[in-house]
Amino acid sequence: FGSVVDVDDRRRAEEALRETDRRKDEFLAMLAHELRNPLAPIRHALAVQARSSDDVEVSREMRQTMERQVEHLVRLVDDLLDVSRLTTGQITLRRQPVDVRDIVADALDTCREVVATRRHRVTTRFPSAAAGALLVNGDRIRLVQVVTNILNNAAKFTEPGGEIAIDACARDGAFEICVRDNGIGISADRLPRIFDLFFQSDQSPDRAKGGLGVGLTLARRLVDLHDGTLTASSPGTGRGSEFRIA
């Protein structure tokens, strides 16, 4: 009996190692793809700028292109660094009272360009001002990062012209932030893995949605550090999704 159990344990361990190795290879391929994407327009902009060095307008447009792509590269590297810091326990929260309204406002400001580019309609709903500040004792920068990552995910997987709704409320002395969209949704088989590191919802050959599959993982782990929960739900493919921080 014991030998059968040992064989089963070894088989499961070997399968887990093969899965880990496969995901590592997929991640390296994705990383190369994601790093190459912004490098191509940067190289193109440099070439155009070199040919049109006397054209002030062209130079300005090319500089803006390069700035956008460099910012994209910085975000990719920052996400990877944050994953490493979280894994090794190197992130320390700087807690202080912060209004949830300010967290959402900062996150929306960070996502303004992607939302505007995709022409999404974003609505927010908070308790009335008469209810006072909606305070939480947390790290403002990290909580803004959480909401930003969720909003970026919603924008990425919601078709142009779609809708994103953000609701915030207080319940029993705690707070909740709910982000809903009417995007492509999450299939039942992918929903349990949506927060897994390097998991890709976009399985299309060209991976048009892009990303390294770390944003939602970071969001959940940062919420965990705040002793909160981050959950995802969806009625299914094509029916939108909901992310709830509590």
Side-chain angles (χ1 to χ4, degrees):
F1 178 76
S3 62
V4 173
V5 173
D6 291 341
V7 169
D8 288 342
D9 287 344
R10 283 199 300 272
R11 184 181 297 114
R12 283 192 291 268
E14 289 171 356
E15 290 175 352
L17 285 173
R18 283 195 294 271
E19 173 66 13
T20 299
D21 193 53
R22 182 187 66 80
R23 291 180 64 182
K24 178 198 69 176
D25 291 342
E26 288 182 352
F27 166 70
L28 290 175
M30 286 187 294
L31 180 59
H33 178 79
E34 291 298 324
L35 291 176
R36 185 177 181 180
N37 276 346
L39 289 176
I42 289 174
R43 184 168 59 182
H44 172 72
L46 286 170
V48 171
Q49 197 171 47
R51 293 194 303 267
S52 310
S53 57
D54 295 332
D55 191 322
V56 175
E57 182 62 24
V58 169
S59 294
R60 184 184 65 82
E61 291 179 3
M62 294 304 100
R63 185 180 66 253
Q64 290 176 343
T65 295
M66 287 186 284
E67 288 173 349
R68 286 195 300 270
Q69 299 306 324
V70 168
E71 287 175 2
H72 178 58
L73 282 171
V74 169
R75 285 195 299 270
L76 289 175
V77 174
D78 283 347
D79 278 353
L80 290 172
L81 287 173
D82 278 343
V83 167
S84 175
R85 292 186 187 114
L86 279 167
T87 302
T88 56
Q90 295 180 23
I91 286 184
T92 302
L93 299 182
R94 298 178 180 178
R95 292 178 181 263
Q96 60 181 349
V98 55
D99 195 318
V100 172
R101 296 177 181 85
D102 295 333
I103 295 170
V104 173
D106 287 353
L108 283 171
D109 188 57
T110 303
C111 300
R112 179 168 44 191
E113 183 176 344
V114 65
V115 168
T117 300
R118 295 179 65 79
R119 307 186 311 280
H120 290 140
R121 179 172 174 265
V122 179
T123 58
T124 58
R125 184 172 63 182
F126 302 104
S128 66
L134 192 59
L135 294 178
V136 57
N137 186 35
D139 186 316
R140 176 170 180 158
I141 291 176
R142 293 303 181 180
L143 289 175
V144 170
Q145 184 178 7
V146 169
V147 179
T148 296
N149 286 359
I150 295 172
L151 284 174
N152 274 328
N153 185 77
K156 186 188 302 181
F157 292 103
T158 300
E159 295 301 324
E163 298 182 356
I164 300 173
I166 308 169
D167 296 338
C169 63
R171 296 182 187 276
D172 301 324
F175 80 96
E176 288 187 0
I177 297 177
C178 182
V179 179
R180 300 183 183 88
D181 64 66
N182 63 346
I184 66 173
I186 309 168
S187 62
D189 61 317
R190 297 190 185 282
L191 191 58
R193 300 182 58 197
I194 199 68
F195 294 106
D196 289 356
L197 187 60
F198 307 138
F199 177 71
Q200 295 292 325
S201 292
D202 182 10
Q203 300 293 321
S204 59
D206 62 350
R207 284 186 21 80
K209 299 294 189 297
L212 292 174
V214 301
L216 291 180
T217 304
L218 277 174
R220 170 172 268 189
R221 293 187 182 181
L222 288 172
V223 171
D224 288 344
L225 283 180
H226 282 85
D227 301 317
T229 59
L230 171 58
T231 57
S233 60
S234 174
T237 303
R239 301 178 63 187
S241 58
E242 174 181 299
F243 289 82
R244 184 177 296 272
I245 307 166

